[in-house]
Amino acid sequence: MLDQSELEHDIYLFHQGNLRYSYQLLGAHPTIQDGKSGIRFTVWAPNAKRVSVVGLFNDWDGRQHPMEKVNDNGIWNRFIPDLETGTIYKYEILTNHGHLTLKADPYAFSSELRPNTASAVYPLNQYTWKDEKWMEQRRQLNHYESPISIYELHLGSWKYIKEEEYYTYREYAEMVIPYVKELGYTHIELLPLTEHPFDRSWGYQATGYYSVTSRYGTPDDFRYFVDQCHQNGLGVILDWVPGHFCKDAHGLRRFDGEALYEYENPSKAEKTMWGTLSFDFGRNEVQSFLISNAIYWLKEFHIDGMRVDAVASMLYLNYCKEDGDWEPNEYGGRENLEAVAFIKKLNEAIFNEIPDVLMMAEESTSWPLVSAPTYLGGLGFNYKWNMGWMNDMLRYMEMDPIHRKYHHNLITFSLFYAFSENFILPISHDEVVHGKKSLLNKMPGDYWRKFANLRVFLGYMFTHPGKKLLFMGSEFGQFDEWKDVEDLDWELLDYDSHAHILSYMKQLHQLYKDMPALWELDHKEEGFNWIDANNYEQSIISFIRNSRSSNDQLVVVCNFTPEVYHHYKVGVPRLGTYKEIFSSDAEHFGGSGQTNGVQLEAIATPWQTQGQHIEMTIPPLAISILKKTSTSGEGKRLNEK
């Protein structure tokens, strides 16, 4: 029996939707009661006639360990002595309709390996962390004015032993971390690791929201992975799915015989495009469940941030639905007002509890102020994925260069809104699967042009305002699209072109981290100035990236055609000598070598939007990055050439 005097307040907060640590109240917890060690089981099932704990320990016989109803709002409890960590269990629920169902624990901290579906007892507090230095640095960091480059990763298809046989979290730590660290990324983002029955859902259709998937080991094995990332200077972001859950019988669907975690109204509950169910965001206990779940991952696993999946599907009642399949809100609109309120409440709770984490919204519409604080009318995230930039750029890059001049706005339009949110530029798993082709294979042209297009695209991505995210395999030019049941084509690194792309990414990352102009003012208009946005005939753009120090200014020139131009004039912000510090056309990257090896002296004649200019070689399908290295008082007059 629960100690009512101690837990009454927590139970009250749970039913009010304000218990931020509900996983400490519910679930299976090793404890001592009346001098005996055992497991305390607590579950919320308000519509059940009877709830029992069942498992191998009682031959799955619900008559042996019935639970006691703690309150009228449906919390049930049972202490069972002599059970230990690792005990396999479920809840047997007798519904109001007289049916018996077996359900996994919504708050289970571990689960059986699929295809088995039972929950497993696992303690929260037995791992000893060694990442104190990282956590202290994280508290001091202003991430808005720091480099952030994210390697999006699906563990099982990064590298595996054989199909459906994977390495452990600890083994992945030994392989993944040195690789990602050497490439220069600042963070790893993991596709959802909440327990899920179907491998090919990639974790996006979960049953165990508090269970790290057992495919790769135990919860403490995963803590080790995160700990090792931190000790090696890498942050960890977890893909999190609060918008919907799968319908598998052992999961949350009609948990106690009635709609409990999902909406009762099918028009609000059904996510027909995915075959899943939406959480009932207006139900207080569901709010406690989800808010506590986010805090659980951030606190108990030292996760540095959450990428919140499919936010648009939460915000809009008509998301991917035909007319007649959805009902407007009380004001006649299509916004899910309960979901909007929940998202704001979620972010307020998280930043109140853990103010130094990242909350990133995958939100694909023009909903305003996604990354603004709630007190300013925003949703309260601190970052938003820039899906508009991603869609425009991929559409542009897939075109034959001869046609690009007719669609020049696709590479410039993003700068009209680049500072309306705190953006992340994402090239994620969704863009390289289901027939969309790999990032390299989207590029037009022959073998050489494909790689050149990839280099200029990645260069523009890393010099464009916004933090960066790239899905695994793109860093070495995976030719095939993502094969989620196989691992990456690592053998491609035996070929020069792919090895050159990997080297390119390492040096691009080094440049990115070394140059404050590429991140210090990422979210401020003064961090970017066009030099020439309008040269559509030659498909060339040029711009300036600024930092707080004028000495760190960079001039960036991108050519999206295979033409070479000599003595091309580019306006520059100040007189002096300019040096090309990076060129994607360098021979050691697999380029043609049309680089600017000599110093470029600014000429004191206005050009484009600047008061002076340089003359340079523009390489084919390439990005050139220049930096002023010295100051010349008068500059070089045009007639002195």
Short mmCIF file of all heavy atoms in Angstrom, two decimals, residues 23 25-30 39-43 51-61 65 67 78 80 83-92 101-112 116-123 208 210-211 250 255:
data_model
loop_
_atom_site.label_atom_id
_atom_site.label_comp_id
_atom_site.label_asym_id
_atom_site.label_seq_id
_atom_site.Cartn_x
_atom_site.Cartn_y
_atom_site.Cartn_z
N TYR A 23 7.23 9.38 -13.10
CA TYR A 23 7.85 8.05 -13.18
C TYR A 23 8.41 7.60 -11.83
O TYR A 23 8.72 6.42 -11.64
CB TYR A 23 8.96 8.04 -14.24
CG TYR A 23 10.10 9.00 -14.01
CD1 TYR A 23 11.22 8.62 -13.26
CD2 TYR A 23 10.09 10.27 -14.56
CE1 TYR A 23 12.27 9.49 -13.06
CE2 TYR A 23 11.14 11.15 -14.37
CZ TYR A 23 12.23 10.76 -13.62
OH TYR A 23 13.28 11.62 -13.43
N LEU A 25 6.57 7.98 -9.13
CA LEU A 25 5.35 7.53 -8.46
C LEU A 25 4.85 6.22 -9.09
O LEU A 25 4.54 5.26 -8.37
CB LEU A 25 4.27 8.61 -8.57
CG LEU A 25 2.84 8.21 -8.14
CD1 LEU A 25 2.79 7.98 -6.63
CD2 LEU A 25 1.85 9.30 -8.55
N LEU A 26 4.77 6.20 -10.41
CA LEU A 26 4.23 5.04 -11.11
C LEU A 26 5.35 4.15 -11.63
O LEU A 26 6.52 4.52 -11.65
CB LEU A 26 3.32 5.49 -12.24
CG LEU A 26 2.03 6.16 -11.73
CD1 LEU A 26 2.05 7.65 -12.04
CD2 LEU A 26 0.80 5.51 -12.31
N GLY A 27 4.97 2.94 -12.05
CA GLY A 27 5.96 1.99 -12.55
C GLY A 27 6.34 0.97 -11.49
O GLY A 27 5.64 0.79 -10.48
N ALA A 28 7.44 0.29 -11.72
CA ALA A 28 7.92 -0.77 -10.82
C ALA A 28 9.21 -0.31 -10.17
O ALA A 28 10.20 -0.04 -10.85
CB ALA A 28 8.14 -2.05 -11.61
N HIS A 29 9.20 -0.23 -8.83
CA HIS A 29 10.34 0.32 -8.09
C HIS A 29 10.81 -0.64 -7.02
O HIS A 29 10.01 -1.03 -6.15
CB HIS A 29 9.95 1.65 -7.45
CG HIS A 29 9.62 2.73 -8.43
ND1 HIS A 29 10.55 3.62 -8.90
CD2 HIS A 29 8.44 3.06 -9.04
CE1 HIS A 29 9.97 4.45 -9.76
NE2 HIS A 29 8.69 4.13 -9.86
N PRO A 30 12.08 -1.04 -7.05
CA PRO A 30 12.63 -1.80 -5.93
C PRO A 30 12.54 -0.99 -4.65
O PRO A 30 12.88 0.20 -4.64
CB PRO A 30 14.09 -2.04 -6.34
CG PRO A 30 14.10 -1.87 -7.83
CD PRO A 30 13.06 -0.83 -8.13
N ILE A 39 9.36 -5.38 -4.84
CA ILE A 39 9.04 -4.42 -5.90
C ILE A 39 7.66 -3.82 -5.63
O ILE A 39 6.69 -4.55 -5.38
CB ILE A 39 9.05 -5.08 -7.29
CG1 ILE A 39 10.36 -5.84 -7.53
CG2 ILE A 39 8.82 -4.02 -8.37
CD1 ILE A 39 11.60 -5.00 -7.54
N ARG A 40 7.58 -2.50 -5.70
CA ARG A 40 6.30 -1.79 -5.61
C ARG A 40 5.82 -1.48 -7.02
O ARG A 40 6.52 -0.83 -7.80
CB ARG A 40 6.47 -0.49 -4.83
CG ARG A 40 5.15 0.23 -4.53
CD ARG A 40 5.38 1.68 -4.18
NE ARG A 40 5.59 2.49 -5.38
CZ ARG A 40 6.32 3.60 -5.43
NH1 ARG A 40 6.95 4.01 -4.36
NH2 ARG A 40 6.45 4.27 -6.56
N PHE A 41 4.66 -1.97 -7.36
CA PHE A 41 4.05 -1.75 -8.67
C PHE A 41 2.91 -0.74 -8.53
O PHE A 41 2.03 -0.91 -7.66
CB PHE A 41 3.49 -3.05 -9.25
CG PHE A 41 4.53 -4.10 -9.51
CD1 PHE A 41 4.87 -5.03 -8.52
CD2 PHE A 41 5.18 -4.18 -10.73
CE1 PHE A 41 5.83 -6.01 -8.76
CE2 PHE A 41 6.14 -5.15 -10.97
CZ PHE A 41 6.46 -6.06 -9.98
N THR A 42 2.90 0.29 -9.38
CA THR A 42 1.84 1.29 -9.35
C THR A 42 1.45 1.63 -10.78
O THR A 42 2.32 1.87 -11.63
CB THR A 42 2.31 2.57 -8.62
OG1 THR A 42 2.91 2.22 -7.38
CG2 THR A 42 1.14 3.50 -8.36
N VAL A 43 0.14 1.66 -11.04
CA VAL A 43 -0.33 1.90 -12.40
C VAL A 43 -1.62 2.71 -12.36
O VAL A 43 -2.38 2.64 -11.38
CB VAL A 43 -0.56 0.55 -13.15
CG1 VAL A 43 -1.72 -0.23 -12.54
CG2 VAL A 43 -0.77 0.78 -14.65
N VAL A 51 -7.11 -5.01 -11.48
CA VAL A 51 -5.77 -5.02 -12.05
C VAL A 51 -4.89 -5.93 -11.21
O VAL A 51 -4.93 -5.88 -9.98
CB VAL A 51 -5.15 -3.60 -12.11
CG1 VAL A 51 -3.78 -3.65 -12.78
CG2 VAL A 51 -6.06 -2.62 -12.83
N SER A 52 -4.13 -6.80 -11.88
CA SER A 52 -3.22 -7.70 -11.19
C SER A 52 -1.84 -7.61 -11.82
O SER A 52 -1.69 -7.30 -13.01
CB SER A 52 -3.71 -9.15 -11.27
OG SER A 52 -4.99 -9.29 -10.71
N VAL A 53 -0.81 -7.89 -11.01
CA VAL A 53 0.54 -8.02 -11.52
C VAL A 53 0.78 -9.49 -11.85
O VAL A 53 0.54 -10.36 -11.01
CB VAL A 53 1.59 -7.55 -10.50
CG1 VAL A 53 2.99 -7.57 -11.13
CG2 VAL A 53 1.26 -6.15 -9.99
N VAL A 54 1.22 -9.75 -13.07
CA VAL A 54 1.46 -11.14 -13.48
C VAL A 54 2.83 -11.27 -14.11
O VAL A 54 3.40 -10.29 -14.62
CB VAL A 54 0.38 -11.65 -14.46
CG1 VAL A 54 -0.99 -11.68 -13.80
CG2 VAL A 54 0.34 -10.78 -15.73
N GLY A 55 3.38 -12.48 -14.05
CA GLY A 55 4.68 -12.74 -14.64
C GLY A 55 5.08 -14.18 -14.43
O GLY A 55 4.29 -15.01 -13.95
N LEU A 56 6.31 -14.50 -14.75
CA LEU A 56 6.80 -15.86 -14.55
C LEU A 56 6.76 -16.25 -13.08
O LEU A 56 6.60 -17.42 -12.74
CB LEU A 56 8.24 -15.97 -15.08
CG LEU A 56 8.41 -15.84 -16.59
CD1 LEU A 56 9.90 -15.79 -16.95
CD2 LEU A 56 7.72 -16.99 -17.31
N PHE A 57 6.90 -15.25 -12.21
CA PHE A 57 6.94 -15.51 -10.77
C PHE A 57 5.61 -16.06 -10.23
O PHE A 57 5.58 -16.66 -9.16
CB PHE A 57 7.33 -14.24 -10.01
CG PHE A 57 6.42 -13.07 -10.24
CD1 PHE A 57 5.30 -12.88 -9.45
CD2 PHE A 57 6.68 -12.17 -11.26
CE1 PHE A 57 4.46 -11.80 -9.67
CE2 PHE A 57 5.86 -11.09 -11.49
CZ PHE A 57 4.74 -10.90 -10.71
N ASN A 58 4.52 -15.84 -10.94
CA ASN A 58 3.22 -16.40 -10.50
C ASN A 58 2.49 -17.12 -11.64
O ASN A 58 1.27 -17.24 -11.62
CB ASN A 58 2.33 -15.31 -9.89
CG ASN A 58 1.95 -14.22 -10.89
OD1 ASN A 58 2.19 -14.33 -12.09
ND2 ASN A 58 1.34 -13.14 -10.38
N ASP A 59 3.29 -17.61 -12.60
CA ASP A 59 2.74 -18.37 -13.73
C ASP A 59 1.68 -17.56 -14.50
O ASP A 59 0.75 -18.14 -15.06
CB ASP A 59 2.15 -19.70 -13.27
CG ASP A 59 3.21 -20.63 -12.72
OD1 ASP A 59 4.34 -20.63 -13.27
OD2 ASP A 59 2.93 -21.34 -11.73
N TRP A 60 1.85 -16.23 -14.52
CA TRP A 60 0.94 -15.35 -15.24
C TRP A 60 -0.50 -15.52 -14.79
O TRP A 60 -1.44 -15.38 -15.56
CB TRP A 60 1.04 -15.57 -16.76
CG TRP A 60 2.44 -15.36 -17.28
CD1 TRP A 60 3.40 -16.31 -17.46
CD2 TRP A 60 3.05 -14.10 -17.63
NE1 TRP A 60 4.57 -15.74 -17.91
CE2 TRP A 60 4.38 -14.39 -18.04
CE3 TRP A 60 2.61 -12.79 -17.66
CZ2 TRP A 60 5.27 -13.40 -18.46
CZ3 TRP A 60 3.49 -11.81 -18.09
CH2 TRP A 60 4.79 -12.12 -18.48
N ASP A 61 -0.66 -15.75 -13.51
CA ASP A 61 -1.98 -16.01 -12.90
C ASP A 61 -2.44 -14.74 -12.18
O ASP A 61 -1.92 -14.40 -11.11
CB ASP A 61 -1.90 -17.18 -11.94
CG ASP A 61 -3.27 -17.58 -11.36
OD1 ASP A 61 -4.25 -16.82 -11.59
OD2 ASP A 61 -3.35 -18.62 -10.70
N HIS A 65 -1.80 -12.06 -7.44
CA HIS A 65 -1.32 -10.76 -6.96
C HIS A 65 -2.21 -9.62 -7.47
O HIS A 65 -1.76 -8.76 -8.26
CB HIS A 65 0.13 -10.53 -7.39
CG HIS A 65 1.10 -11.48 -6.76
ND1 HIS A 65 1.56 -12.60 -7.40
CD2 HIS A 65 1.67 -11.47 -5.52
CE1 HIS A 65 2.39 -13.26 -6.60
NE2 HIS A 65 2.47 -12.58 -5.45
N MET A 67 -4.04 -6.06 -7.44
CA MET A 67 -3.62 -4.78 -6.91
C MET A 67 -4.77 -4.11 -6.16
O MET A 67 -5.93 -4.47 -6.35
CB MET A 67 -3.13 -3.87 -8.05
CG MET A 67 -2.01 -4.49 -8.87
SD MET A 67 -1.44 -3.46 -10.24
CE MET A 67 -0.40 -2.29 -9.36
N ARG A 78 0.54 -2.37 -5.67
CA ARG A 78 0.79 -3.65 -5.02
C ARG A 78 2.28 -3.79 -4.76
O ARG A 78 3.10 -3.60 -5.66
CB ARG A 78 0.32 -4.80 -5.90
CG ARG A 78 0.64 -6.21 -5.35
CD ARG A 78 -0.22 -6.55 -4.14
NE ARG A 78 0.19 -7.78 -3.47
CZ ARG A 78 -0.53 -8.91 -3.45
NH1 ARG A 78 -1.71 -8.96 -4.08
NH2 ARG A 78 -0.11 -9.96 -2.78
N ILE A 80 5.11 -6.53 -3.85
CA ILE A 80 5.33 -7.97 -3.87
C ILE A 80 6.74 -8.24 -3.36
O ILE A 80 7.72 -7.83 -3.99
CB ILE A 80 5.16 -8.55 -5.29
CG1 ILE A 80 3.77 -8.20 -5.85
CG2 ILE A 80 5.35 -10.06 -5.27
CD1 ILE A 80 3.54 -8.68 -7.27
N LEU A 83 10.78 -10.14 -4.98
CA LEU A 83 11.07 -9.97 -6.41
C LEU A 83 12.32 -9.11 -6.57
O LEU A 83 12.61 -8.25 -5.75
CB LEU A 83 9.89 -9.33 -7.14
CG LEU A 83 8.59 -10.13 -7.20
CD1 LEU A 83 7.59 -9.41 -8.08
CD2 LEU A 83 8.82 -11.55 -7.70
N GLU A 84 13.04 -9.30 -7.67
CA GLU A 84 14.32 -8.64 -7.87
C GLU A 84 14.37 -7.90 -9.20
O GLU A 84 13.49 -8.05 -10.06
CB GLU A 84 15.46 -9.67 -7.81
CG GLU A 84 15.54 -10.41 -6.48
CD GLU A 84 16.62 -11.49 -6.50
OE1 GLU A 84 17.10 -11.82 -7.62
OE2 GLU A 84 16.98 -11.98 -5.41
N THR A 85 15.44 -7.12 -9.35
CA THR A 85 15.72 -6.48 -10.64
C THR A 85 15.76 -7.54 -11.74
O THR A 85 16.31 -8.62 -11.55
CB THR A 85 17.07 -5.75 -10.57
OG1 THR A 85 16.97 -4.68 -9.64
CG2 THR A 85 17.45 -5.21 -11.95
N GLY A 86 15.15 -7.21 -12.87
CA GLY A 86 15.09 -8.15 -13.98
C GLY A 86 13.81 -8.94 -14.05
O GLY A 86 13.55 -9.63 -15.04
N THR A 87 12.96 -8.83 -13.01
CA THR A 87 11.67 -9.53 -13.02
C THR A 87 10.84 -9.10 -14.24
O THR A 87 10.68 -7.92 -14.52
CB THR A 87 10.88 -9.22 -11.73
OG1 THR A 87 11.60 -9.75 -10.61
CG2 THR A 87 9.49 -9.82 -11.78
N ILE A 88 10.33 -10.10 -14.96
CA ILE A 88 9.49 -9.86 -16.13
C ILE A 88 8.03 -9.82 -15.66
O ILE A 88 7.58 -10.68 -14.91
CB ILE A 88 9.68 -10.99 -17.17
CG1 ILE A 88 11.14 -11.04 -17.63
CG2 ILE A 88 8.74 -10.79 -18.36
CD1 ILE A 88 11.63 -9.79 -18.29
N TYR A 89 7.28 -8.81 -16.13
CA TYR A 89 5.91 -8.65 -15.65
C TYR A 89 5.04 -7.92 -16.67
O TYR A 89 5.53 -7.26 -17.58
CB TYR A 89 5.88 -7.89 -14.31
CG TYR A 89 6.21 -6.41 -14.45
CD1 TYR A 89 5.20 -5.45 -14.48
CD2 TYR A 89 7.53 -5.98 -14.56
CE1 TYR A 89 5.49 -4.09 -14.59
CE2 TYR A 89 7.84 -4.63 -14.68
CZ TYR A 89 6.82 -3.69 -14.70
OH TYR A 89 7.11 -2.35 -14.83
N LYS A 90 3.74 -8.05 -16.49
CA LYS A 90 2.73 -7.25 -17.17
C LYS A 90 1.61 -6.98 -16.17
O LYS A 90 1.60 -7.52 -15.05
CB LYS A 90 2.17 -7.99 -18.39
CG LYS A 90 3.04 -7.94 -19.63
CD LYS A 90 2.32 -8.53 -20.85
CE LYS A 90 3.16 -8.42 -22.11
NZ LYS A 90 2.46 -8.95 -23.30
N TYR A 91 0.66 -6.17 -16.61
CA TYR A 91 -0.58 -5.96 -15.84
C TYR A 91 -1.71 -6.70 -16.53
O TYR A 91 -1.93 -6.54 -17.73
CB TYR A 91 -0.91 -4.48 -15.73
CG TYR A 91 0.11 -3.69 -14.93
CD1 TYR A 91 0.80 -2.63 -15.53
CD2 TYR A 91 0.37 -3.99 -13.61
CE1 TYR A 91 1.74 -1.89 -14.81
CE2 TYR A 91 1.31 -3.27 -12.89
CZ TYR A 91 1.99 -2.23 -13.49
OH TYR A 91 2.93 -1.53 -12.78
N GLU A 92 -2.41 -7.51 -15.75
CA GLU A 92 -3.63 -8.15 -16.24
C GLU A 92 -4.79 -7.26 -15.82
O GLU A 92 -4.99 -6.99 -14.63
CB GLU A 92 -3.79 -9.55 -15.65
CG GLU A 92 -5.04 -10.26 -16.17
CD GLU A 92 -5.29 -11.58 -15.46
OE1 GLU A 92 -5.95 -11.57 -14.40
OE2 GLU A 92 -4.83 -12.62 -15.97
N THR A 101 -7.23 -8.36 -20.43
CA THR A 101 -6.16 -7.96 -21.33
C THR A 101 -4.84 -7.96 -20.57
O THR A 101 -4.81 -7.74 -19.35
CB THR A 101 -6.39 -6.57 -21.93
OG1 THR A 101 -6.40 -5.59 -20.87
CG2 THR A 101 -7.71 -6.50 -22.68
N LEU A 102 -3.75 -8.20 -21.29
CA LEU A 102 -2.41 -8.12 -20.73
C LEU A 102 -1.72 -6.90 -21.32
O LEU A 102 -1.63 -6.76 -22.53
CB LEU A 102 -1.61 -9.38 -21.05
CG LEU A 102 -1.95 -10.64 -20.25
CD1 LEU A 102 -1.14 -11.81 -20.78
CD2 LEU A 102 -1.66 -10.44 -18.77
N LYS A 103 -1.23 -6.04 -20.43
CA LYS A 103 -0.61 -4.79 -20.89
C LYS A 103 0.79 -4.63 -20.29
O LYS A 103 1.02 -4.94 -19.12
CB LYS A 103 -1.47 -3.59 -20.44
CG LYS A 103 -2.80 -3.47 -21.17
CD LYS A 103 -2.63 -3.02 -22.61
CE LYS A 103 -3.95 -2.71 -23.30
NZ LYS A 103 -3.74 -2.21 -24.67
N ALA A 104 1.71 -4.15 -21.13
CA ALA A 104 3.01 -3.74 -20.63
C ALA A 104 2.83 -2.49 -19.77
O ALA A 104 1.85 -1.74 -19.92
CB ALA A 104 3.95 -3.45 -21.79
N ASP A 105 3.75 -2.27 -18.87
CA ASP A 105 3.69 -1.12 -17.97
C ASP A 105 4.03 0.16 -18.74
O ASP A 105 5.11 0.27 -19.31
CB ASP A 105 4.68 -1.33 -16.83
CG ASP A 105 4.57 -0.29 -15.73
OD1 ASP A 105 3.88 0.74 -15.93
OD2 ASP A 105 5.19 -0.49 -14.66
N PRO A 106 3.13 1.16 -18.77
CA PRO A 106 3.45 2.41 -19.46
C PRO A 106 4.70 3.10 -18.90
O PRO A 106 5.36 3.86 -19.61
CB PRO A 106 2.21 3.28 -19.24
CG PRO A 106 1.11 2.29 -18.97
CD PRO A 106 1.76 1.15 -18.25
N TYR A 107 5.00 2.84 -17.62
CA TYR A 107 6.15 3.47 -16.98
C TYR A 107 7.31 2.50 -16.78
O TYR A 107 8.21 2.77 -15.98
CB TYR A 107 5.73 4.04 -15.62
CG TYR A 107 4.96 5.35 -15.72
CD1 TYR A 107 3.58 5.36 -15.88
CD2 TYR A 107 5.62 6.57 -15.64
CE1 TYR A 107 2.87 6.55 -15.96
CE2 TYR A 107 4.93 7.77 -15.71
CZ TYR A 107 3.55 7.75 -15.87
OH TYR A 107 2.85 8.94 -15.94
N ALA A 108 7.31 1.37 -17.51
CA ALA A 108 8.42 0.41 -17.36
C ALA A 108 9.74 1.05 -17.78
O ALA A 108 9.81 1.73 -18.80
CB ALA A 108 8.13 -0.83 -18.19
N PHE A 109 10.80 0.78 -17.02
CA PHE A 109 12.11 1.32 -17.34
C PHE A 109 12.94 0.38 -18.21
O PHE A 109 14.05 0.73 -18.62
CB PHE A 109 12.88 1.63 -16.05
CG PHE A 109 12.14 2.58 -15.14
CD1 PHE A 109 12.04 2.33 -13.78
CD2 PHE A 109 11.54 3.73 -15.64
CE1 PHE A 109 11.35 3.19 -12.95
CE2 PHE A 109 10.85 4.60 -14.82
CZ PHE A 109 10.76 4.33 -13.46
N SER A 110 12.41 -0.81 -18.47
CA SER A 110 13.07 -1.75 -19.36
C SER A 110 12.02 -2.70 -19.91
O SER A 110 10.94 -2.86 -19.32
CB SER A 110 14.16 -2.53 -18.61
OG SER A 110 14.87 -3.38 -19.48
N SER A 111 12.32 -3.32 -21.04
CA SER A 111 11.37 -4.21 -21.70
C SER A 111 12.10 -5.42 -22.26
O SER A 111 13.31 -5.39 -22.50
CB SER A 111 10.65 -3.48 -22.85
OG SER A 111 9.96 -2.33 -22.39
N GLU A 112 11.32 -6.47 -22.49
CA GLU A 112 11.86 -7.64 -23.15
C GLU A 112 12.25 -7.31 -24.59
O GLU A 112 11.68 -6.42 -25.21
CB GLU A 112 10.82 -8.77 -23.17
CG GLU A 112 10.63 -9.51 -21.88
CD GLU A 112 9.74 -10.73 -22.08
OE1 GLU A 112 8.57 -10.56 -22.45
OE2 GLU A 112 10.23 -11.85 -21.87
N ASN A 116 9.14 -10.51 -27.91
CA ASN A 116 8.46 -10.54 -26.60
C ASN A 116 8.10 -9.12 -26.20
O ASN A 116 8.74 -8.15 -26.61
CB ASN A 116 9.35 -11.20 -25.57
CG ASN A 116 9.62 -12.66 -25.87
OD1 ASN A 116 8.74 -13.35 -26.39
ND2 ASN A 116 10.82 -13.13 -25.59
N THR A 117 7.10 -8.99 -25.35
CA THR A 117 6.51 -7.66 -25.11
C THR A 117 6.33 -7.30 -23.64
O THR A 117 5.73 -6.27 -23.34
CB THR A 117 5.13 -7.58 -25.80
OG1 THR A 117 4.28 -8.61 -25.29
CG2 THR A 117 5.26 -7.71 -27.31
N ALA A 118 6.83 -8.12 -22.73
CA ALA A 118 6.63 -7.83 -21.31
C ALA A 118 7.58 -6.73 -20.85
O ALA A 118 8.59 -6.41 -21.49
CB ALA A 118 6.83 -9.09 -20.49
N SER A 119 7.26 -6.16 -19.70
CA SER A 119 8.11 -5.17 -19.05
C SER A 119 9.10 -5.88 -18.13
O SER A 119 8.92 -7.04 -17.77
CB SER A 119 7.26 -4.19 -18.25
OG SER A 119 6.30 -3.56 -19.08
N ALA A 120 10.16 -5.15 -17.76
CA ALA A 120 11.17 -5.71 -16.87
C ALA A 120 11.53 -4.69 -15.80
O ALA A 120 11.64 -3.49 -16.09
CB ALA A 120 12.42 -6.11 -17.66
N VAL A 121 11.68 -5.16 -14.57
CA VAL A 121 12.06 -4.28 -13.46
C VAL A 121 13.51 -3.85 -13.64
O VAL A 121 14.40 -4.69 -13.89
CB VAL A 121 11.88 -4.99 -12.11
CG1 VAL A 121 12.38 -4.10 -10.97
CG2 VAL A 121 10.42 -5.36 -11.89
N TYR A 122 13.76 -2.54 -13.55
CA TYR A 122 15.13 -2.04 -13.67
C TYR A 122 15.27 -0.80 -12.78
O TYR A 122 14.46 0.13 -12.87
CB TYR A 122 15.45 -1.68 -15.13
CG TYR A 122 16.93 -1.67 -15.43
CD1 TYR A 122 17.56 -2.80 -15.92
CD2 TYR A 122 17.70 -0.53 -15.19
CE1 TYR A 122 18.93 -2.81 -16.19
CE2 TYR A 122 19.07 -0.53 -15.45
CZ TYR A 122 19.68 -1.67 -15.95
OH TYR A 122 21.03 -1.67 -16.20
N PRO A 123 16.29 -0.74 -11.93
CA PRO A 123 16.43 0.41 -11.03
C PRO A 123 16.93 1.65 -11.76
O PRO A 123 17.60 1.55 -12.80
CB PRO A 123 17.46 -0.09 -10.00
CG PRO A 123 18.26 -1.11 -10.75
CD PRO A 123 17.31 -1.77 -11.71
N GLY A 208 6.94 1.53 -25.36
CA GLY A 208 7.55 1.75 -24.05
C GLY A 208 8.24 3.09 -23.98
O GLY A 208 9.42 3.23 -24.31
N TYR A 210 9.21 4.89 -21.50
CA TYR A 210 10.25 5.01 -20.49
C TYR A 210 11.31 3.90 -20.61
O TYR A 210 12.25 3.87 -19.83
CB TYR A 210 9.63 4.99 -19.09
CG TYR A 210 8.89 6.26 -18.76
CD1 TYR A 210 7.58 6.47 -19.18
CD2 TYR A 210 9.49 7.28 -18.02
CE1 TYR A 210 6.89 7.64 -18.89
CE2 TYR A 210 8.82 8.45 -17.72
CZ TYR A 210 7.52 8.63 -18.15
OH TYR A 210 6.85 9.80 -17.86
N SER A 211 11.17 3.04 -21.62
CA SER A 211 12.11 1.94 -21.83
C SER A 211 13.04 2.27 -22.98
O SER A 211 12.58 2.42 -24.11
CB SER A 211 11.36 0.65 -22.16
OG SER A 211 10.67 0.14 -21.05
N HIS A 250 -0.36 -4.80 -26.65
CA HIS A 250 0.24 -4.74 -25.32
C HIS A 250 0.59 -3.32 -24.89
O HIS A 250 1.04 -3.10 -23.77
CB HIS A 250 1.51 -5.59 -25.28
CG HIS A 250 2.62 -5.05 -26.13
ND1 HIS A 250 2.65 -5.19 -27.50
CD2 HIS A 250 3.75 -4.36 -25.81
CE1 HIS A 250 3.74 -4.62 -27.98
NE2 HIS A 250 4.43 -4.10 -26.98
N PHE A 255 -5.98 1.28 -22.89
CA PHE A 255 -5.16 0.61 -21.89
C PHE A 255 -5.98 -0.13 -20.85
O PHE A 255 -5.66 -1.26 -20.47
CB PHE A 255 -4.23 1.63 -21.21
CG PHE A 255 -3.31 1.01 -20.19
CD1 PHE A 255 -2.19 0.31 -20.60
CD2 PHE A 255 -3.58 1.12 -18.83
CE1 PHE A 255 -1.34 -0.28 -19.67
CE2 PHE A 255 -2.74 0.54 -17.89
CZ PHE A 255 -1.61 -0.16 -18.32
#
